[in-house]
Amino acid sequence: FVLAGCSSLTSDKLKTSGITAHLQVTAKADGQSDATATLNVGSSLIDFVELASGDTLTASTGGDSKTLTKTKLLGIVTYGATFTGHTDGGTSYGFDLQRASDLSAPSSTCTLPAGFEVTAPSGATHSRLSDDLAIGVAGSQTQLAWSADGSCIRSASAQAAVTGGTLVIPHGSLQANVADGGVGTSCAVTVKLSDSKTGTLDPAFGGGSIACVQEREFVITSAP
C-alpha cells in the first residue's frame, strides 16, 4: 500500500534519540539474507529519515560487513543489503549506525531462529471457499506466521500452529478482493511462512524494533 503524505528529513537535522529504527534480517531458502532498515522521524510512520553525508548504516555477520544502500519509492525510504551464506539458525547479525555529529548507535543485534523447510502444493489449484491448504513443515517450529498475496484476493495474514509437521490455512481464510464484485477469479497467490526472533535495539535510538526472521515461500493457484 502507499502511505499518503510521506515526507523525509535528512539525519543531520535530527539527534539519534529522535530517530525510530525498524531493523530486520530475513533469511530465505536460497541461502541469502536481506538486511533492511526503515528510519522514521520520532513516532511518525510517514516521515522518513535519509542519511546525510557522513552518516552510515552497516550490517554485519560472521566477519562480513555491508553498507546498506538507500531505496526511495513513492516517498518511502528504506535501506538494505543482501548477504549470502549466513542463513543458519543461531547466526547473529549486527546493525551499526555511525553519526558524524551526534551519538552513534553501533550495537543493534539479533539472532536467526532455527531454519525450516516447507513442502507445499506449489502450482496446485485450491478453492478459497472449500479447500483447506495443508503445508508440510520440517523443523522445530510449533507456530509460524503466514501471509498470502495475489491479484484476485485480499491480502491475508495470521499466526497458525504447526501440528504433526503440518500447518493448515483453513478454507475461507483467503477471500476474493472487492474488485471482483463478489464473484471471484483465479490467480497465482504467493504464500509466505515466517518465524521471527526479537533482537536488542541500540538504546541510542528513540525507539523501534529489530528482529531476525526465517522466511519460506511458495506459489499456489487460488480459485473461487
Side-chain angles (χ1 to χ4, degrees), residues 1 26 31-34 41-42 68 90 95 122 137 145 148 165 170 180 184 199 204 210:
F1 66 99
T26 304
Q32 293 191 326
S33 299
D34 295 327
V41 180
L68 276 62
F95 289 83
S122 180
V137 178
D180 291 330
I210 180 171

Side-chain angles (χ1 to χ4, degrees), residues 34-94:
D34 295 327
T36 58
T38 303
L39 306 177
N40 292 101
V41 180
S43 60
S44 173
L45 294 177
I46 61 173
D47 298 317
F48 297 90
V49 178
E50 296 190 55
L51 295 179
S53 177
D55 290 352
T56 59
L57 181 58
T58 60
S60 60
T61 181
D64 190 3
S65 181
K66 295 181 184 293
T67 300
L68 276 62
T69 57
K70 181 177 73 175
T71 299
K72 189 172 185 177
L73 180 64
L74 300 175
I76 299 172
V77 180
T78 58
Y79 288 83
T82 298
F83 292 84
T84 300
H86 302 283
T87 59
D88 291 343
T91 301
S92 295
Y93 280 82

Side-chain angles (χ1 to χ4, degrees), residues 124-146:
T125 299
H126 288 262
S127 167
R128 297 186 287 273
L129 182 63
S130 59
D131 293 337
D132 291 343
L133 181 59
I135 305 164
V137 178
S140 59
Q141 287 76 9
T142 58
Q143 184 169 310
L144 292 170
W146 66 265

Side-chain angles (χ1 to χ4, degrees), residues 155-168:
S155 295
S157 61
Q159 295 276 341
V162 179
T163 304
T166 302
L167 181 148
V168 177

Side-chain angles (χ1 to χ4, degrees), residues 116-197:
F116 62 94
E117 301 302 327
V118 299
T119 56
S122 180
T125 299
H126 288 262
S127 167
R128 297 186 287 273
L129 182 63
S130 59
D131 293 337
D132 291 343
L133 181 59
I135 305 164
V137 178
S140 59
Q141 287 76 9
T142 58
Q143 184 169 310
L144 292 170
W146 66 265
S147 66
D149 288 282
S151 61
C152 66
I153 66 165
R154 298 173 183 173
S155 295
S157 61
Q159 295 276 341
V162 179
T163 304
T166 302
L167 181 148
V168 177
I169 300 177
H171 62 276
S173 299
L174 307 185
Q175 299 182 3
N177 65 29
V178 176
D180 291 330
V183 176
T185 57
S186 297
C187 69
V189 168
T190 299
V191 179
K192 295 181 180 180
L193 302 184
S194 62
D195 187 18
S196 179
K197 187 174 184 180

